[in-house]
C-alpha cells in the first residue's frame, strides 16, 4: 500500500501494467459522456417528434417511451458510477450491461419509428 491521499484513498501499485486508480476514473467519465450523449439524442428525438405529423396519441406514447428510456439509462449510469466510486469495486454485471444495451436498441428503434412517420 502506498501513502494515503487527501481524499482518504491509498495509491495502488499498478497491477499487470495498468494503473488501478485511473481505469475506474476513465470508466466513470465514459459513463458520464454516454449519459450526456443519450440525453442529447433523446432531446433531438423529442424535438423531431413534436415537429412531426404523427397523430396526438401516437406522439404522446412515443414521448412517454422516450422519457422512460432516458430515465432508465440515467438510473443505470448513476448506479454504475456509484459502484465505481465505492471502496470495494464490483464488476459490471450482465444485467446492467444488457439493460444499457436495451436502452441503446430502444433509442435506435425510436429513431427509425420517428423517421418513418415523417
Amino acid at each position: 500500500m502506498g501513502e494515503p491521499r487527501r481524499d482518504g484513498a491509498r495509491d495502488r501499485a499498478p497491477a499487470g501494467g495498468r494503473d488501478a486508480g485511473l481505469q475506474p476514473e476513465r470508466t466513470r467519465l465514459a459513463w458520464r459522456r454516454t449519459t450526456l450523449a443519450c440525453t442529447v439524442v433523446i432531446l433531438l428525438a423529442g424535438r423531431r417528434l413534436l415537429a412531426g405529423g404523427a397523430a396526438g396519441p401516437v406522439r404522446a406514447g412515443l414521448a412517454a417511451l422516450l422519457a422512460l428510456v432516458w430515465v432508465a439509462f440515467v438510473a443505470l449510469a448513476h448506479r454504475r458510477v456509484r459502484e465505481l466510486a465505492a471502496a470495494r469495486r464490483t464488476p459490471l454485471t450482465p444485467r446492467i450491461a444488457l439493460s444499457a444495451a436495451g436502452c441503446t436498441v430502444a433509442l435506435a428503434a425510436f429513431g427509425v419509428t420517428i423517421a418513418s412517420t415523417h
Side-chain angles (χ1 to χ4, degrees), residues 1-40:
M1 286 283 178
E3 294 295 318
R5 297 186 318 209
R6 272 195 270 173
D7 60 358
R10 293 188 175 268
D11 291 331
R12 295 184 200 132
R18 294 174 51 184
D19 187 345
L22 290 178
Q23 181 63 37
E25 182 64 24
R26 285 192 293 264
T27 305
R28 257 193 314 271
L29 291 173
W31 275 101
R32 289 184 178 147
R33 282 191 306 269
T34 305
T35 302
L36 180 62
C38 180
T39 301
V40 169

Side-chain angles (χ1 to χ4, degrees), residues 42 62-74 103 110:
I42 292 286
L62 287 175
L65 286 174
L66 278 173
L68 183 65
V69 168
W70 182 75
V71 167
F73 190 81
V74 168
C103 289
F110 289 141

Side-chain angles (χ1 to χ4, degrees), residues 79-103:
R79 178 179 172 181
R80 187 62 190 148
V81 167
R82 270 194 342 215
E83 288 175 355
L84 289 170
R88 184 175 174 192
R89 295 186 184 109
T90 58
L92 180 66
T93 62
R95 185 173 142 204
I96 291 178
L98 287 174
S99 298
C103 289

Side-chain angles (χ1 to χ4, degrees), residues 42-63:
I42 292 286
L43 289 174
L44 291 175
R47 179 177 173 222
R48 175 88 184 213
L49 184 65
L50 291 176
V58 172
R59 191 181 305 176
L62 287 175

